[in-house]
Amino acid sequence: MNELVIMHDKQAVTTSLVLSEAFGKQHKHVLEAISSKINSAENSAQYKKMFAESTYTDRSGKQNKMYYLNRDGFTFIAMGFTGRKADEFKLKYIDAFNKMEEQIRNQSFQALNQSTDDLKRANLLYKIANLTSDEELKEESLKSSYELVTGKSIHQKKTDYQKLYEAVTERYGDSVEDNLKGAIRFIRVWKG
């Protein structure tokens, strides 16, 4: 059986194909169950959020209809399936969804940590730019700060600001503002 939960359009989903295989149902019956919900007058707007119509190519090369189901769509359709096999699959699916969501949360947390580090570096460079009288250093620091905050490159001097930031913080730690003149001298002679 294919993976129970996959990523599709930045959302954790399963498919009508996986559902039919897991529950031992004919795919056409799963499609009918989904279609009847989507086409019903009651709650059709809610159902349309649960299911996304798509196609797949079978072994003969023919394009066939299928649906992607989000967690709510799966839950809604799977509630109608009963028996030991159905219960086993429901438990596997819940576990797979939980793992996928945990993975998404971890990736978001890592991205947030990287953004926080970039903002710290940008703040340090901005402070240096505002406190220095060296126009070249001021310009480079402001450009670098801008690039870190916006993620957009200004396409100037290619300095590795990550390494520069690490070198400054390694040498001066949290006291960089107290010893700004020394930090500026260090940056001017720094070779990376």
Side-chain angles (χ1 to χ4, degrees), residues 54-69:
S54 188
T55 59
Y56 73 97
T57 306
D58 67 16
R59 290 182 192 142
S60 69
K62 181 182 171 197
Q63 291 286 308
N64 295 298
K65 181 176 172 179
M66 64 169 255
Y67 284 97
Y68 288 103
L69 297 78

Side-chain angles (χ1 to χ4, degrees), residues 71-134:
R71 178 191 291 248
D72 295 340
F74 163 78
T75 304
F76 197 78
I77 295 298
M79 277 188 215
F81 299 149
T82 59
R84 184 184 56 79
K85 192 172 183 178
D87 289 346
E88 286 174 14
F89 179 76
K90 289 174 192 176
L91 291 171
K92 286 180 187 175
Y93 181 83
I94 290 167
D95 184 54
F97 241 117
N98 290 336
K99 286 178 181 173
M100 180 70 75
E101 287 177 343
E102 180 66 25
Q103 182 180 356
I104 292 167
R105 272 193 298 277
N106 287 341
Q107 288 171 347
S108 297
F109 183 70
Q110 289 170 350
L112 179 62
N113 282 343
Q114 181 61 43
S115 296
T116 302
D117 290 346
D118 286 348
L119 287 175
K120 286 178 185 175
R121 286 189 287 281
N123 186 38
L124 173 64
L125 290 165
Y126 183 77
K127 286 177 183 176
I128 290 170
N130 285 319
L131 295 171
T132 185
S133 58
D134 182 323

Side-chain angles (χ1 to χ4, degrees), residues 10 22 30-32 43 50 59-61 64 74 76 100 108 110 116 143 170-171 175-176 189:
K10 299 181 183 179
V30 174
L31 292 176
E32 289 168 0
N43 304 313
M50 297 179 196
R59 290 182 192 142
S60 69
N64 295 298
F74 163 78
F76 197 78
M100 180 70 75
S108 297
Q110 289 170 350
T116 302
K143 286 178 184 176
E170 180 180 313
R171 183 172 181 119
S175 66
V176 71
V189 298

Side-chain angles (χ1 to χ4, degrees), residues 122-139 141-142 174-185 187-188:
N123 186 38
L124 173 64
L125 290 165
Y126 183 77
K127 286 177 183 176
I128 290 170
N130 285 319
L131 295 171
T132 185
S133 58
D134 182 323
E135 290 301 316
E136 185 179 331
L137 179 59
K138 181 181 283 199
E139 184 178 340
S141 296
L142 287 173
D174 292 334
S175 66
V176 71
E177 290 178 46
D178 298 333
N179 194 356
L180 190 62
K181 288 182 182 181
I184 291 170
R185 278 193 303 275
I187 290 169
R188 286 184 183 147

